[in-house]
Short mmCIF file of all heavy atoms in Angstrom, two decimals:
data_model
loop_
_atom_site.label_atom_id
_atom_site.label_comp_id
_atom_site.label_asym_id
_atom_site.label_seq_id
_atom_site.Cartn_x
_atom_site.Cartn_y
_atom_site.Cartn_z
N ALA A 1 3.60 -10.48 17.24
CA ALA A 1 3.13 -11.32 16.27
C ALA A 1 3.39 -10.84 14.84
O ALA A 1 3.09 -11.63 13.88
CB ALA A 1 1.71 -11.78 16.53
N GLY A 2 3.87 -9.65 14.63
CA GLY A 2 3.95 -9.05 13.40
C GLY A 2 2.76 -8.36 12.83
O GLY A 2 2.79 -7.97 11.62
N ASN A 3 1.76 -8.03 13.66
CA ASN A 3 0.60 -7.37 13.24
C ASN A 3 0.71 -5.91 13.42
O ASN A 3 1.34 -5.44 14.42
CB ASN A 3 -0.69 -7.79 13.91
CG ASN A 3 -0.89 -9.41 13.77
OD1 ASN A 3 -0.87 -9.79 12.63
ND2 ASN A 3 -0.97 -10.09 14.88
N PRO A 4 0.15 -4.92 12.54
CA PRO A 4 0.22 -3.64 12.81
C PRO A 4 -0.52 -3.13 14.11
O PRO A 4 -1.63 -3.65 14.40
CB PRO A 4 -0.46 -3.05 11.49
CG PRO A 4 -1.38 -4.10 11.11
CD PRO A 4 -0.70 -5.43 11.35
N VAL A 5 0.19 -2.21 14.81
CA VAL A 5 -0.58 -1.66 15.99
C VAL A 5 -1.24 -0.44 15.58
O VAL A 5 -1.23 0.10 14.50
CB VAL A 5 0.51 -1.36 17.05
CG1 VAL A 5 1.26 -2.64 17.46
CG2 VAL A 5 1.58 -0.33 16.63
N ARG A 6 -1.96 0.18 16.57
CA ARG A 6 -2.69 1.46 16.40
C ARG A 6 -1.77 2.49 15.80
O ARG A 6 -0.63 2.74 16.29
CB ARG A 6 -3.23 1.89 17.73
CG ARG A 6 -4.15 3.10 17.57
CD ARG A 6 -4.74 3.56 19.00
NE ARG A 6 -5.40 2.43 19.65
CZ ARG A 6 -4.91 1.93 20.80
NH1 ARG A 6 -3.74 2.34 21.33
NH2 ARG A 6 -5.64 0.97 21.37
N GLY A 7 -2.24 3.12 14.76
CA GLY A 7 -1.46 4.16 14.16
C GLY A 7 -0.72 3.75 12.89
O GLY A 7 -0.23 4.54 12.22
N ASN A 8 -0.62 2.42 12.73
CA ASN A 8 0.12 1.88 11.55
C ASN A 8 -0.86 1.39 10.45
O ASN A 8 -1.40 0.46 10.50
CB ASN A 8 1.03 0.69 11.96
CG ASN A 8 1.61 -0.05 10.75
OD1 ASN A 8 1.69 0.52 9.71
ND2 ASN A 8 2.27 -1.15 11.00
N LYS A 9 -0.94 2.37 9.54
CA LYS A 9 -1.77 2.20 8.32
C LYS A 9 -0.95 1.68 7.10
O LYS A 9 -1.59 1.42 6.08
CB LYS A 9 -2.46 3.43 7.92
CG LYS A 9 -3.36 4.10 9.12
CD LYS A 9 -4.46 3.16 9.57
CE LYS A 9 -5.24 3.84 10.68
NZ LYS A 9 -6.31 2.90 11.25
N ARG A 10 0.31 1.69 7.34
CA ARG A 10 1.22 1.29 6.18
C ARG A 10 1.03 -0.17 5.74
O ARG A 10 1.08 -0.48 4.55
CB ARG A 10 2.73 1.50 6.52
CG ARG A 10 3.55 1.30 5.25
CD ARG A 10 5.01 1.43 5.64
NE ARG A 10 5.86 1.63 4.53
CZ ARG A 10 6.27 0.57 3.74
NH1 ARG A 10 5.91 -0.62 4.10
NH2 ARG A 10 7.02 0.74 2.69
N THR A 11 0.87 -1.09 6.69
CA THR A 11 0.78 -2.48 6.42
C THR A 11 -0.32 -2.72 5.39
O THR A 11 -0.15 -3.37 4.34
CB THR A 11 0.64 -3.32 7.65
OG1 THR A 11 1.74 -3.07 8.54
CG2 THR A 11 0.52 -4.76 7.35
N ALA A 12 -1.55 -2.26 5.63
CA ALA A 12 -2.70 -2.43 4.84
C ALA A 12 -2.45 -1.76 3.40
O ALA A 12 -2.79 -2.26 2.35
CB ALA A 12 -3.91 -1.75 5.49
N CYS A 13 -1.80 -0.56 3.47
CA CYS A 13 -1.54 0.18 2.15
C CYS A 13 -0.58 -0.64 1.29
O CYS A 13 -0.78 -0.86 0.04
CB CYS A 13 -1.01 1.54 2.43
SG CYS A 13 -0.66 2.52 0.99
N ALA A 14 0.43 -1.13 1.97
CA ALA A 14 1.39 -2.03 1.13
C ALA A 14 0.78 -3.21 0.56
O ALA A 14 1.12 -3.64 -0.58
CB ALA A 14 2.58 -2.39 2.05
N GLN A 15 -0.16 -3.93 1.19
CA GLN A 15 -0.84 -5.06 0.70
C GLN A 15 -1.66 -4.67 -0.59
O GLN A 15 -1.65 -5.40 -1.51
CB GLN A 15 -1.75 -5.67 1.83
CG GLN A 15 -0.97 -6.25 2.90
CD GLN A 15 -1.82 -6.71 4.02
OE1 GLN A 15 -2.94 -6.39 4.20
NE2 GLN A 15 -1.19 -7.45 5.07
N THR A 16 -2.31 -3.47 -0.51
CA THR A 16 -3.15 -3.04 -1.57
C THR A 16 -2.21 -2.66 -2.83
O THR A 16 -2.43 -3.14 -3.85
CB THR A 16 -3.97 -1.80 -1.23
OG1 THR A 16 -4.83 -2.21 -0.23
CG2 THR A 16 -4.72 -1.26 -2.36
N ILE A 17 -1.17 -1.95 -2.56
CA ILE A 17 -0.27 -1.50 -3.64
C ILE A 17 0.32 -2.76 -4.32
O ILE A 17 0.58 -2.75 -5.49
CB ILE A 17 0.80 -0.61 -3.03
CG1 ILE A 17 0.21 0.72 -2.76
CG2 ILE A 17 1.99 -0.46 -4.06
CD1 ILE A 17 -0.29 1.49 -4.04
N ALA A 18 0.71 -3.84 -3.49
CA ALA A 18 1.23 -5.01 -4.03
C ALA A 18 0.38 -5.72 -5.03
O ALA A 18 0.92 -6.31 -5.97
CB ALA A 18 1.58 -5.96 -2.85
N LYS A 19 -0.88 -5.48 -4.93
CA LYS A 19 -1.81 -6.28 -5.87
C LYS A 19 -1.92 -5.53 -7.21
O LYS A 19 -2.38 -6.15 -8.20
CB LYS A 19 -3.23 -6.26 -5.23
CG LYS A 19 -3.36 -7.03 -4.03
CD LYS A 19 -4.74 -6.89 -3.40
CE LYS A 19 -4.91 -7.59 -2.03
NZ LYS A 19 -6.27 -7.48 -1.47
N ILE A 20 -1.52 -4.17 -7.32
CA ILE A 20 -1.78 -3.40 -8.52
C ILE A 20 -0.57 -2.67 -9.14
O ILE A 20 -0.64 -2.27 -10.18
CB ILE A 20 -2.79 -2.35 -8.12
CG1 ILE A 20 -2.20 -1.35 -7.16
CG2 ILE A 20 -4.13 -2.86 -7.66
CD1 ILE A 20 -3.17 -0.10 -7.00
N VAL A 21 0.53 -2.63 -8.32
CA VAL A 21 1.67 -1.82 -8.73
C VAL A 21 2.24 -2.15 -10.14
O VAL A 21 2.50 -1.34 -11.01
CB VAL A 21 2.77 -1.74 -7.68
CG1 VAL A 21 3.48 -2.97 -7.52
CG2 VAL A 21 3.73 -0.62 -8.00
N ASP A 22 2.45 -3.52 -10.24
CA ASP A 22 2.93 -3.93 -11.64
C ASP A 22 2.21 -3.66 -12.79
O ASP A 22 2.66 -3.26 -13.89
CB ASP A 22 3.41 -5.38 -11.53
CG ASP A 22 4.51 -5.75 -10.57
OD1 ASP A 22 5.28 -4.82 -10.28
OD2 ASP A 22 4.50 -6.85 -10.01
N GLU A 23 0.91 -3.90 -12.71
CA GLU A 23 -0.01 -3.71 -13.80
C GLU A 23 -0.40 -2.23 -14.01
O GLU A 23 -0.50 -1.77 -15.19
CB GLU A 23 -1.30 -4.62 -13.60
CG GLU A 23 -2.33 -4.45 -14.78
CD GLU A 23 -3.51 -5.36 -14.53
OE1 GLU A 23 -3.62 -6.09 -13.45
OE2 GLU A 23 -4.50 -5.24 -15.42
N HIS A 24 -0.64 -1.57 -12.97
CA HIS A 24 -1.26 -0.24 -13.10
C HIS A 24 -0.32 0.90 -12.85
O HIS A 24 -0.59 2.12 -13.13
CB HIS A 24 -2.55 -0.07 -12.07
CG HIS A 24 -3.53 -1.04 -12.47
ND1 HIS A 24 -4.57 -0.75 -13.34
CD2 HIS A 24 -3.91 -2.26 -11.93
CE1 HIS A 24 -5.46 -1.76 -13.44
NE2 HIS A 24 -5.04 -2.70 -12.56
N GLU A 25 0.89 0.70 -12.21
CA GLU A 25 1.75 1.74 -11.97
C GLU A 25 1.26 3.09 -11.49
O GLU A 25 1.40 4.08 -12.06
CB GLU A 25 2.63 1.99 -13.28
CG GLU A 25 3.43 0.91 -13.76
CD GLU A 25 4.28 1.12 -15.03
OE1 GLU A 25 4.29 2.47 -15.48
OE2 GLU A 25 4.86 0.32 -15.60
N PRO A 26 0.67 3.00 -10.29
CA PRO A 26 0.05 4.23 -9.76
C PRO A 26 1.14 5.26 -9.31
O PRO A 26 2.15 4.82 -8.67
CB PRO A 26 -0.74 3.72 -8.57
CG PRO A 26 0.01 2.45 -8.09
CD PRO A 26 0.53 1.85 -9.45
N TRP A 27 0.99 6.49 -9.75
CA TRP A 27 1.80 7.62 -9.22
C TRP A 27 0.99 8.44 -8.19
O TRP A 27 -0.20 8.67 -8.40
CB TRP A 27 2.25 8.48 -10.35
CG TRP A 27 3.13 7.82 -11.42
CD1 TRP A 27 3.52 6.52 -11.35
CD2 TRP A 27 3.68 8.45 -12.73
NE1 TRP A 27 4.30 6.26 -12.53
CE2 TRP A 27 4.32 7.43 -13.24
CE3 TRP A 27 3.46 9.67 -13.17
CZ2 TRP A 27 5.02 7.75 -14.53
CZ3 TRP A 27 4.14 9.94 -14.42
CH2 TRP A 27 4.95 9.04 -14.97
N PHE A 28 1.72 8.91 -7.23
CA PHE A 28 1.10 9.69 -6.23
C PHE A 28 2.02 11.00 -5.92
O PHE A 28 3.14 10.81 -5.84
CB PHE A 28 0.87 8.99 -4.98
CG PHE A 28 0.07 7.73 -5.10
CD1 PHE A 28 0.56 6.51 -5.19
CD2 PHE A 28 -1.41 7.90 -5.12
CE1 PHE A 28 -0.12 5.40 -5.38
CE2 PHE A 28 -2.14 6.75 -5.35
CZ PHE A 28 -1.58 5.57 -5.43
N ALA A 29 1.41 12.10 -5.63
CA ALA A 29 1.92 13.37 -5.16
C ALA A 29 1.03 14.00 -4.29
O ALA A 29 -0.15 14.24 -4.63
CB ALA A 29 2.38 14.13 -6.38
N MET A 30 1.52 14.47 -3.12
CA MET A 30 0.61 15.08 -2.20
C MET A 30 1.08 16.62 -1.97
O MET A 30 2.23 16.82 -1.78
CB MET A 30 0.59 14.31 -0.88
CG MET A 30 -0.42 14.81 0.30
SD MET A 30 -0.73 13.63 1.54
CE MET A 30 -2.20 12.85 0.96
#
């Protein structure tokens, strides 16, 4: 059905980033 399965945290992260990336331009380094 297109829903994330166990172990897939990317879908939720992508949704959060989509809300803020244009205005806030977050940079990350690990």
Side-chain angles (χ1 to χ4, degrees):
N3 301 310
V5 298
R6 186 184 301 113
N8 176 7
K9 306 298 184 182
R10 188 185 191 279
T11 302
C13 180
Q15 292 170 350
T16 296
I17 288 295
K19 297 175 183 177
I20 65 172
V21 65
D22 292 337
E23 180 181 356
H24 296 277
E25 292 182 9
W27 293 2
F28 301 98
M30 187 166 261

